[in-house]
């Protein structure tokens, strides 16, 4: 850890009355300097409940946007302007409006990994932890459009028995984890439990022992009697898993499971972000209000997100 740099960040953070959030996929040193680590929605909710004036979101754009949707009175900063999510960018608001025109009676569920504009066009938001419950809660006689992740959508369809109209989006980081990776990892660690994220492909999910969001992986690993785990998601989470469970061992199912956008955030960029108050996320109020409705409807169905 670079102590002088860390000290500068701490001082500036205090001066700005800022809170630093880091997603579970961030580089380890960024997770270590943050007050809160977790999944995107959990972090945004935590940040909205603090009395900080500034939120520095160490993650990708849609996460900082979600924080801005929930905290209109705070300044939300993304330390690297180009840190985007290719999956969120696989559907535009116009493409979603077009799909809605084809299915005028359908309800729209969007994964939180989507732009604010796409959330604003949606009826419900969901996370990877509650996609199944959100879909399951919707009236049986209504069609459901699910965007943008086809793999999370298939997971929700399989678990609920509902037919979903899926958008062909995917996470480039999760789809590179293959069945072969799981089989090789199992051969090396035959006693380990395989935890996979629902963004993984269907063949990988069918080989896994447990299908969990990042937050659920952390909870499950802490509670489990098992000591060894193979993790099929972005490798950044292994830092938190090891830190929270020093007596257990965690192995990445594939070292290719790295999100280059998540790794764009560095300690220098966090410092510059606080120095120059950049890059501020500003959403048109009309979009923010409509996007918040989709998030609020999710919370109404499921008080605990
Ligand atoms: S891991 Fe996938 S879904 Fe998450 S930010 Fe990276 S590209 Fe987007």
């Amino acid at each position: 850890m670079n102590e002088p740099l860390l000290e500068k960040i701490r001082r500036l953070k205090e001066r700005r009355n800022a809170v630093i959030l880091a997603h579970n996929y961030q580089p380890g040193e960024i997770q270590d300097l943050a007050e809160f680590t977790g999944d995107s929605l959990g972090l945004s909710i935590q940040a909205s409940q603090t009395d900080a004036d500034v939120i520095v979101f160490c993650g990708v754009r849609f996460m900082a946007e979600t924080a801005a949707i929930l905290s209109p009175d705070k300044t939300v900063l993304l330390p690297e302007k180009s840190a985007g999510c290719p999956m969120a960018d696989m559907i535009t608001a116009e493409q979603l409006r077009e799909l809605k025109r084809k299915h005028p009676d359908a309800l729209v569920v969007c994964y939180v990994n989507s732009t604010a504009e796409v959330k604003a066009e949606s009826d419900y938001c969901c996370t990877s932890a509650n996609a199944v419950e959100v879909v399951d809660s919707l009236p049986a006689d209504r069609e459901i459009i699910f965007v943008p992740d086809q793999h999370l959508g298939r997971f929700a369809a399989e678990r609920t028995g509902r037919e979903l109209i899926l958008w062909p989006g995917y996470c480039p980081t999760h789809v590179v984890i293959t069945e072969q990776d799981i089989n090789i990892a199992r051969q090396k660690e035959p006693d380990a439990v395989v935890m996979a994220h629902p963004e993984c492909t269907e063949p990988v999910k069918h080989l896994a022992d447990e299908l969990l969001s990042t937050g659920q992986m952390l909870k499950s690993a802490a509670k489990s009697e098992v000591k060894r785990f193979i993790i099929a998601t972005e490798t950044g989470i292994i830092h938190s898993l090891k830190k929270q469970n020093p007596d257990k061992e965690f192995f990445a199912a594939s070292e290719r499971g790295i999100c280059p956008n998540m790794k764009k955030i560095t300690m220098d960029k966090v410092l510059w972000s606080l120095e120059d108050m950049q890059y501020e996320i500003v959403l048109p109020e009309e979009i923010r209000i409509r996007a918040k409705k989709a998030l609020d409807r999710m919370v109404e169905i499921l008080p605990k997100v």
Side-chain angles (χ1 to χ4, degrees):
M1 190 60 89
N2 181 336
E3 279 303 325
L5 184 55
L6 200 58
E7 194 41 45
K8 275 191 200 165
I9 293 172
R10 279 198 196 113
R11 272 204 304 258
L12 206 49
K13 188 170 69 83
E14 221 164 283
R15 182 141 58 86
R16 300 279 194 210
N17 189 24
V19 62
I20 299 178
L21 312 180
H23 189 267
N24 289 321
Y25 295 161
Q26 283 291 293
E29 60 180 12
I30 301 293
Q31 294 191 34
D32 290 344
L33 80 84
E35 271 102 323
F36 300 115
T37 54
D39 59 34
S40 58
L41 187 64
L43 287 175
S44 296
I45 292 172
Q46 262 171 322
S48 70
Q49 292 165 350
T50 72
D51 57 6
D53 296 316
V54 177
I55 297 171
V56 180
F57 209 121
C58 301
V60 295
R61 177 166 294 269
F62 79 79
M63 299 178 176
E65 282 185 354
T66 306
I69 292 167
L70 295 178
S71 297
D73 301 334
K74 302 188 197 302
T75 302
V76 180
L77 304 175
L78 180 65
E80 167 55 55
K81 204 178 179 177
S82 70
C85 167
M87 176 165 74
D89 294 335
M90 283 178 192
I91 186 165
T92 63
E94 183 44 41
Q95 286 171 313
L96 179 52
R97 281 193 290 271
E98 181 59 36
L99 192 59
K100 283 164 65 172
R101 281 194 283 273
K102 285 189 193 147
H103 302 275
D105 295 325
L107 290 168
V108 179
V109 178
C110 74
Y111 186 20
V112 70
N113 298 24
S114 53
T115 62
E117 287 79 8
V118 164
K119 286 186 181 75
E121 289 294 333
S122 302
D123 297 300
Y124 295 85
C125 200
C126 75
T127 67
S128 54
N130 65 24
V132 172
E133 287 80 358
V134 170
V135 167
D136 208 29
S137 73
L138 301 181
D141 58 347
R142 297 288 296 272
E143 279 190 308
I144 302 169
I145 293 171
F146 191 98
V147 299
D149 185 19
Q150 58 179 302
H151 298 293
L152 180 64
R154 283 204 192 96
F155 169 69
E158 212 168 278
R159 291 271 168 110
T160 59
R162 300 287 302 259
E163 242 180 68
L164 303 181
I165 300 159
L166 298 175
W167 186 257
Y170 60 90
C171 164
T173 299
H174 283 84
V175 299
V176 297
I177 304 172
T178 63
E179 284 166 274
Q180 202 189 10
D181 289 327
I182 306 293
N183 289 331
I184 293 171
R186 269 210 202 272
Q187 273 165 16
K188 282 196 206 151
E189 303 295 336
D191 303 331
V193 164
V194 178
M195 290 177 167
H197 193 279
E199 286 174 29
C200 289
T201 63
E202 284 54 55
V204 165
K205 285 194 290 239
H206 290 147
L207 287 176
D209 298 308
E210 294 177 19
L211 298 178
L212 303 167
S213 67
T214 55
Q216 289 169 332
M217 284 183 190
L218 287 159
K219 279 189 201 139
S220 178
K223 272 198 292 180
S224 175
E225 299 286 304
V226 177
K227 296 282 182 210
R228 298 160 82 79
F229 300 85
I230 294 164
I231 306 297
T233 188
E234 213 280 347
T235 57
I237 195 171
I238 298 208
H239 180 81
S240 302
L241 285 165
K242 283 187 175 160
K243 204 167 153 183
Q244 294 177 23
N245 303 278
D247 58 328
K248 299 181 181 175
E249 286 185 277
F250 301 91
F251 310 95
S254 167
E255 290 300 335
R256 292 187 309 281
I258 293 176
C259 175
N261 280 283
M262 281 284 180
K263 306 307 189 223
K264 284 181 180 172
I265 310 290
T266 61
M267 289 191 34
D268 283 325
K269 288 178 188 172
V270 173
L271 176 67
W272 300 333
S273 175
L274 281 163
E275 272 174 355
D276 302 335
M277 294 295 280
Q278 65 184 12
Y279 295 90
E280 189 177 349
I281 303 290
V282 182
L283 298 172
E285 187 60 4
E286 176 257 340
I287 297 281
R288 189 192 74 77
I289 288 172
R290 286 166 54 215
K292 185 167 183 296
K293 275 196 189 131
L295 286 164
D296 288 345
R297 285 197 199 104
M298 171 184 78
V299 178
E300 275 162 29
I301 303 174
L302 310 154
K304 283 179 236 140
V305 285

